[in-house]
Amino acid sequence: MKSRFLSYAGWSLVAGAAAATTLGAVDVVVDFAEPAALTQRYTATGARGWSLEGEAVYDRARQSLRVEGVYHTTQPIEPEAPLSYRVVDAAGEVLEADGVRFAWAVAADGSRHTRFDLELPHILADPQRSDWRIEFNAVKEGEYWYRDRFPEMEFPVIALANLPARDHFVPMATWVPRYLPAGFRVKIPAWFRVGQRDARFSAYRPSLDLTEEDPLIKVTSQRLESSTLEAGTFWGVMPLGPQEQGVLLVRPGMVWENLRWYEASDWFPRERVEFISPLTYLLAAAGLALGGLGWGLLLRRIPHRGWRWSAGLPLGFGALWWAGHLLISGFWSVALAVGLAGVAVWARPPAGRGAGYAFAWIFMVWMEVYWGTMVVAVGIQGSALVFSAATWAILLLPLLLIPSRRWSWAVGVLLSAIWVVATVVAVSYHEFFFDFPSVSDLLYAGQIGELGDSVGALWSPLYGVPLGVWGLMVLSTGAGLIFSGRPKSKRQNT
């Protein structure tokens, strides 16, 4: 046992000494602190017939590092074994194991030389790191590296030290749902801090980093103003425009326009998001809501308070999770409209007559929100929404003259159904002709059937969502009318 321990200890000492020797074999030191210049020239000559000269340039405006120069050697390297390199950190960890190849030019005296030009992406992956080493080598493709096969052959090492700090951002939290409705404007919450920022040169702006499943294929996203980072912290939402059904990789990002995205290794990971039909999303949200309501009703039948709390905690967390998804996807307005329609039947002004009025007004206002802000078929301003809500409040006043609560509700439901059809037709027409139908256009409505497949091609699941919401509101108010428990007069039931 003791001899085995001594054997392991001996090998460890040998390995440590070898590592120390490798890390200590630096031929060129490029120090950006002495002197404090962003362009550093270097030259070096080896005892075994190699020489190196060139410059290392740090571009502060682009926060990029470029090392270029000429490598000359008289060592017997095969012409078909090009010059290459690997990049390691100060501790010897390999950051890039297989660098770019540079072909040799062979002189008449048998010496070899090549010009190399290295762009080092590692300074972007770890913006807080300030030291690297470039270990040159030659490679016989598919066979061996010269350092491994011929350890007696000497290749230089360039050490880069005290590189200026680059922009650095510290991820804190985000919420990227697994499923989102296609065709909708959604908002992804994000929270991150500015670890370091070059106030003079930096041009990073917050924006969602969107790619297809192939990370090299970028998808355009809206940019936010860089002023949101002036306080050193971003706390808010990043808008995500309407997307087609399919899969995207999504994460909060920072973009330097026409230059690069922030790609630090400790940044937010990309999350796989599937954009599904909005009708499917609506039905799933409604199913979860009904399941939660059913669970809540079952809790009332549990006699023991402790057991009720134990069974209610998962329901509470599930409700928060569901509410968060609705806020991100924009479907919170759907839940609000359906909920308001359900409780509107409890309102009493005037007695029994407000049910239809409340239903129709809530639905008409929600339709304005839907077309104007959720899917942005026709964009509207906040003031226009307020004006529309006030206009509908006046136009629907005749519903209050109907004495029967149920007849008032039925008329309100009928009016809202007619409005669904009218708005879907108008938006479909607008999507095709970039205009809204006029009265004269209605005279040719009979010819629509002749268009056949052309009309069918205009259909989108986005047009079916209002009908689905209308159906959920009908169910909600119908349940409220039946189970409100309010005593009904003969007049109210005529």
Side-chain angles (χ1 to χ4, degrees), residues 359-360 364 408-420 470 474:
F359 179 93
M364 301 303 191
S408 171
W409 174 71
V411 173
V413 168
L414 178 62
L415 289 175
S416 59
I418 294 173
W419 189 242
V420 168
W470 177 84
V474 170

Side-chain angles (χ1 to χ4, degrees), residues 63 124 127-128 166-172 191-198 202-206 226 229-230 232-234 252-256 261-268:
Q63 297 190 357
L124 304 178
Q128 299 186 88
R166 282 78 64 203
D167 286 345
H168 176 58
F169 303 94
V170 182
M172 301 301 291
W191 174 30
F192 58 86
R193 293 187 292 104
V194 178
Q196 170 139 355
R197 186 173 175 84
D198 191 321
S202 178
Y204 278 117
R205 298 172 62 185
S226 57
L229 300 176
E230 290 180 356
T233 299
F234 179 90
M254 297 291 295
V255 62
W256 196 326
W261 284 83
Y262 183 69
E263 296 285 356
S265 56
D266 61 347
W267 188 238
F268 291 108

